[in-house]
């Protein structure tokens, strides 16, 4: 079993009171501290465009997209397309802040595949970094559906297998050379071929390949994508970025914007610069964090008009249920009964409360079929639970915040915050597991009376965060109470 990613280790051992840091209040002013972030390119000014009307979109990509039911590109995808491939394609680094479920993955994947579709020799030219294994597997799945249509190969580096077998999927060493040769001997022995054009990786395993996989090089990189960037720029991951940037620029890349390149985009000359795309629904505005990325002539592409820090999906309906602490489990069970037949994710505050709540729901057997998802489980079990939930074998997934970011499961109708998130950022990513791609979805937050005020204050930072009070029918609670008491105290014993 590969070692836990930093994210998993961090989540597992983080005391409940120590949540992922929210940006310090110093940067949460209405005016971003960085001048170039004050005039974003407004995503809302772009249309949803049918594929055949997207300038320069390769016909092979159109047919690959149509095969998976995609008929048009969303506004964020059009905005990014225009800044990379379309009429004003340029080599500016892009920071993209767009709500959860708005299609950020394809926003960067499409231009990358289009630009690399004309490559002659296979080299590692695009690197996509994500904070967790399951997210990386999901994003690779998006590339896998489309990349073959334009003859591109996609690799995965997440530590699910031994590094030697993973390296063998990424780099083809000359026959005579074993993994153990020193790097200089390998170079002497003969040319080393990359087996992938695009690599999707988690930070830990990326570092392993940079430091120890012979023939693994970033010298040909054209795109560096940092997805869920505010998570990746946090303390726990910090060493991967400087090492990666050093390796990119140490191997012949120019850090400076190239005037010619800027005017005409990639003009076929061989003096490229690795273009960076930095994305999140809760993109950081913190200059100290942004400066780590060494952005070049950056452009902010953002959905919200900046009067609020974060934006929720337009189709999301939000509700709150106020209850006493000892009745929260009963209210959850009653709510899940009401939502029966709909895919629902229940978020708790920690891995231990995820497990306890899962055990309680097990007492209700067939009434509520659920699985648990947290870094308390080994990767295989977590992936099995997610697969069962994706297939619809079970309709309730009890999850810690390991499930919060980016995970895209078709048909999730409801998100329940069993424990109120401490930070608005966590709230945005949790409820963003539903109401995706313009579809409808609902969020329910269970609040103890003493939490109502904090919850209201927290939502000050979130746009369109209207929520209604939700009351469960008393007869349902009365009917469930005896059953609940019996099971709950068994569990408590
Ligand atoms: N142009 C499109 N047409 C239809 N569906 C799309 C389109 N683009 C993306 N989708 C679908 O929308 C869903 C959300 O896409 P994606 O996961 O890229 O969103 P996101 O903005 O990255 O969300 P998050 O911030 O939560 O990571 C996915 O199921 C994806 O298949």
């Amino acid at each position: 079993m590969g070692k836990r990613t930093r994210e998993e280790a961090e989540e597992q051992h983080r005391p409940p009171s120590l949540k992922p840091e929210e940006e310090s209040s110093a940067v949460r002013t209405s005016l971003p501290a960085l001048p170039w972030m004050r005039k974003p390119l407004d995503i809302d000014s772009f249309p949803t465009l049918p594929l055949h009307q997207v300038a320069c979109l390769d016909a092979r990509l159109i047919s690959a997209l149509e095969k998976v039911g995609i008929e048009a590109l969303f506004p964020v995808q059009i905005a990014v397309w225009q800044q990379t491939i379309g009429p004003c394609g340029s080599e500016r680094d892009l920071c993209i802040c767009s709500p959860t479920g708005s299609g950020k993955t394809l926003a960067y994947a499409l231009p990358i595949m289009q630009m690399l579709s004309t490559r002659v020799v296979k080299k590692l030219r695009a690197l996509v970094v994500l904070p967790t294994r399951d997210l990386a597997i999901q994003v690779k799945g998006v590339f896998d559906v489309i990349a073959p249509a334009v003859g591109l190969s996609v690799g995965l580096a997440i530590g699910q297998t031994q590094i030697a077998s993973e390296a063998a999927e990424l780099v083809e060493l000359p026959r005579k050379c074993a993994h153990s040769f020193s790097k200089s001997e390998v170079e002497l022995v003969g040319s080393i071929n990359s087996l992938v054009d695009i690599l999707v990786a988690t930070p830990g395993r990326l570092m392993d390949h940079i430091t120890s996989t012979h023939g693994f090089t970033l010298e040909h990189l054209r795109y560096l994508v940092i997805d869920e960037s505010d998570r990746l720029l946090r303390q726990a991951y910090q060493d991967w970025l400087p090492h990666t940037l050093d390796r990119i620029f140490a191997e012949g890349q120019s850090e400076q914007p190239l005037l010619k390149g800027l005017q005409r985009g990639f003009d076929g000359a061989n003096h490229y610069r690795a273009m960076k795309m930095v994305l999140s629904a809760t993109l950081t505005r913190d200059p100290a964090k942004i400066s780590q990325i060494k952005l070049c002539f950056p452009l902010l592409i953002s959905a919200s008009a900046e009067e609020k820090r974060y934006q929720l999906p337009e189709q999301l309906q939000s509700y709150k249920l106020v209850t006493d602490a000892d009745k929260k489990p009963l209210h959850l069970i009653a709510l899940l009964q009401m939502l029966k037949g709909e895919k629902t994710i229940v978020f708790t505050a920690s891995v231990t409360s995820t497990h306890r709540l899962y055990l309680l729901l097990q007492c209700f057997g067939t009434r509520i079929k659920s699985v648990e998802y947290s870094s308390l489980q080994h990767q295989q079990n977590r992936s099995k639970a997610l697969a069962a939930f994706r297939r619809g074998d079970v309709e309730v997934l009890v999850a810690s915040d390991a499930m919060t970011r980016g995970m895209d499961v078709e048909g999730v109708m409801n998100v329940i915050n069993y424990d109120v998130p401490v930070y608005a950022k966590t709230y945005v990513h949790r409820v963003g597991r539903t109401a995706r791609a313009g579809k409808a979805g609902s969020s329910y937050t269970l609040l103890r009376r003493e939490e109502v005020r904090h919850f209201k204050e927290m939502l000050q930072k979130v746009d369109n965060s209207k929520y209604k009070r939700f009351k469960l029918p008393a007869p349902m609670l009365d009917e469930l109470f005896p059953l609940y008491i019996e099971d709950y105290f068994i569990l408590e014993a």
Side-chain angles (χ1 to χ4, degrees), residues 293-347:
I293 314 172
K294 295 188 181 149
L295 290 169
C296 190
F297 197 41
L299 172 68
L300 175 61
I301 301 180
S302 174
S304 55
E306 293 300 300
E307 66 278 3
K308 291 277 177 152
R309 191 68 190 77
Y310 309 125
Q311 205 169 25
L312 294 178
E314 259 163 49
Q315 304 302 323
L316 180 72
Q317 290 291 324
S318 303
Y319 302 92
K320 69 173 182 180
L321 291 82
V322 183
T323 168
D324 301 324
D326 61 346
K327 297 246 180 40
K328 246 174 65 165
L330 173 65
H331 280 73
L332 173 70
I333 291 157
L335 180 57
L336 286 171
Q337 293 268 79
M338 285 191 73
L339 301 173
K340 195 159 184 57
E342 294 179 355
K343 267 187 191 172
T344 300
I345 300 176
V346 181
F347 281 107

Side-chain angles (χ1 to χ4, degrees), residues 89-101:
S90 72
E91 287 184 334
R92 300 185 68 168
D93 289 344
L94 302 181
C95 284
I96 301 148
C97 181
S98 177
T100 52

Side-chain angles (χ1 to χ4, degrees), residues 15 25 36 41 45 132 139 165 202 208 213 220 232 243 298 306 320 407 472:
S25 53
W36 59 271
L41 180 64
S45 64
T132 67
V139 166
S165 48
T202 46
D208 295 339
T213 293
H220 306 288
L232 281 171
H243 279 89
E306 293 300 300
K320 69 173 182 180
M407 294 309 291
L472 289 158

Side-chain angles (χ1 to χ4, degrees), residues 70 72 74 77 99-105 228 406 408 433 436-437:
I70 290 181
F74 289 159
Q77 294 158 356
T100 52
S102 55
K104 293 188 287 297
T105 309
E228 299 302 346
D408 181 64
R433 295 317 97 210
R436 298 172 70 76

Side-chain angles (χ1 to χ4, degrees), residues 3-4 23 41 75 81 97 132 161 223 244 251 289 299 305 314 336 339 354 357 362 373 389 406 412 469 473:
K3 64 177 186 284
R4 287 189 185 289
E23 290 191 348
L41 180 64
W81 183 265
C97 181
T132 67
T161 55
Y223 292 98
T244 304
E251 295 176 349
K289 290 180 183 163
L299 172 68
E314 259 163 49
L336 286 171
L339 301 173
T354 296
L357 193 58
Q362 291 311 294
Y373 181 98
F389 185 58
V412 172
R469 178 124 190 202

Side-chain angles (χ1 to χ4, degrees), residues 23 42 102 107 109 136 184 195 220 266 279 346 365 376 381 400 402 405 438:
E23 290 191 348
D42 182 2
S102 55
S184 51
L195 294 174
H220 306 288
F266 295 116
L279 306 97
V346 181
L376 205 59
N381 297 338
S400 65
R405 289 237 175 200

